[in-house]
Amino acid sequence: MLSTLQPGARHELKFQVPLQKTVPFLYPESREFLAVPPVFATGFMVGLMEWACLDALRPHLQDGEGSLGTGIEVSHCAATLPGMTVAVVATCMKIERSRVTWNVEAHDDMDLIGSGEHQRTVISLERFRSRLDDKAAACHVPGMDEVEQSIRESGLH
């Protein structure tokens, strides 16, 4: 990681909540989730907070580096309807070697909807990929090349 990231650095990410990011869509296999009103799902909010931190960290990574979320402790304290915009502010709090700790706050058009702390660890993507391929071979599941090909075929990549 480059030495350009400093504690106190702030980054904001805005996202308009689509219907597909509401609770019934989180795990449509779950009857319980299907019974919940269509509000922004906690799991998607957590992912949005991670995305804000990823976005903030990206310019400070060297070629071949990425980051993994290694800890998150956040609250979800208000419901958000589809169509509302959520703004996540990520503030760098601490850098310890390859681990970066962020304070995150998410606000919708009306309320603070979530806040807490998120840690990301900077990693070598090549080494991580190699470990995943070893794990896939040991568990007899498709390796990274096959999985990435499936993602491309799905239209996501």
Side-chain angles (χ1 to χ4, degrees), residues 5 9 29 31 34-35 42 51 59-60 65 72 75 107 110 133:
L5 181 63
E29 303 86 353
R31 264 185 228 239
L34 289 173
T42 303
W51 181 10
H60 306 284
E65 289 182 329
I72 191 153
S75 63
H107 294 261
M110 188 172 192
D133 280 333

Side-chain angles (χ1 to χ4, degrees), residues 9 15 25 58-59 78 93 97 118 125 150 155:
F15 180 75
F25 291 89
R58 183 181 312 111
M93 301 305 290
R97 291 184 292 237
H118 177 46
L125 292 172
S150 295

